[in-house]
Amino acid sequence: MILISTAGKVGAEAARLLADRGVPVRVLVRDPAKVTALARAGVDVVRGDLGDPSTVDAAVEGVSAVVLVSPAVPAQELAVVDSAVRAGVDHVVKITSKASADSPIARRRGQTEIENGLIASGIGHTLLRNNAYMQNFLVLAPSIAGTDGFGSPTGDGRVGMVDTRDVAAVAAEIATDPAPHKGKTYWLTGPESLSYADAATILTEVLGRRITFHPLTFEEQERALIAAGLPEAVAAMNAQALSLFAQGDSDWTTDDVHAILGRSPRTFARFATDHASAFS
Ligand SMILES: NC(=O)c1ccc[n+]([C@@H]2O[C@H](COP(=O)([O-])OP(=O)(O)OC[C@H]3O[C@@H](n4cnc5c(N)ncnc54)[C@H](OP(=O)(O)O)[C@@H]3O)[C@@H](O)[C@H]2O)c1
């Protein structure tokens, strides 16, 4: 049995892929009513909360591998690691980002704390240090649909964006057969590094109407994210991460998705085509 710790973008897709393959898979969710499609697909849906260790202990029972993905609150993810150690879990696939102890972004410092705790636990593990997700563009979809444009503080910075469906496929593959990946770190990216102006050009081609990109300041981005409903601290972190893109912080690509899956990662054009209705 493989446990996926949440059913967000990566977790829900990983659970679906494993269920499709006939691999026993369980997902921990706060609200099972949100994931009825996963239950119908054969996923064992258990109600729980990463903030409630007794529900985590129940979810890891009988599990051989955990895909550890969540908003990455260190105390919560480290409690999952503790629980996995107690339950004799063999392997943890940790979804992480460009983690670093001295990053200006609190979430990346938190990811380092979790990675270090996981490594120190002695449990088998693989780190998936992913570049930014293409699915972040879905947050911009209402603006693109309504105004044919979008803004961000990314300047001319390029980003090796990866589709969360490919992250999920890699996590599912490693959780199913962890041995070749024990102790390894992979840096998952898409096939190309794109600026937000490049993304606008691709959206224009795919959607068949002109989509424009306009630069925002950090403050304008932070205000827009708060207006979109994000808590202030999260809005500040996301605006900070987007501003770092302008400095080339995420201008990197690797062959890791291809090396693990034996196929190329999805392009941004593929992502845009598959989500065209959201942008229209
Ligand atoms: N976005 C990026 O560009 C990017 C890039 C690299 C790495 N990452 C990493 O990817 C991870 C996020 O993955 P994701 O995008 O798949 O997540 P996501 O789509 O944002 O989903 C988060 C999920 O966590 C659930 N959740 C939150 N708190 C919970 C709790 N206390 N107990 C149980 N479930 C809880 C939410 O469920 P509810 O429906 O109950 O709220 C939601 O389903 C983070 O570690 C992030 O650092 C992100």
Side-chain angles (χ1 to χ4, degrees), residues 197-211 268-269 272-273:
D198 295 334
T201 302
I202 294 169
L203 285 163
T204 297
E205 284 161 9
V206 167
L207 300 174
R209 59 184 211 278
R210 190 169 151 69
I211 306 296
F268 188 76
T273 304

Side-chain angles (χ1 to χ4, degrees), residues 92-103:
V92 173
V93 183
K94 161 70 183 135
I95 302 294
T96 177
S97 58
K98 193 177 170 186
S100 123
D102 55 8
S103 172

Side-chain angles (χ1 to χ4, degrees), residues 8-10 30 34 49-50 70 96 111 130-131 133 136:
K9 293 181 290 295
V10 170
R30 292 191 282 201
K34 285 189 185 173
D49 191 312
L50 296 177
S70 81
T96 177
Q111 293 285 25
N130 309 320
N131 208 328
Y133 295 161
N136 295 341

Side-chain angles (χ1 to χ4, degrees), residues 10 12 30 36 74 81 117 149 151 153 175 215 226 228 255 276:
V10 170
R30 292 191 282 201
T36 50
V81 172
I226 291 168
D255 292 331

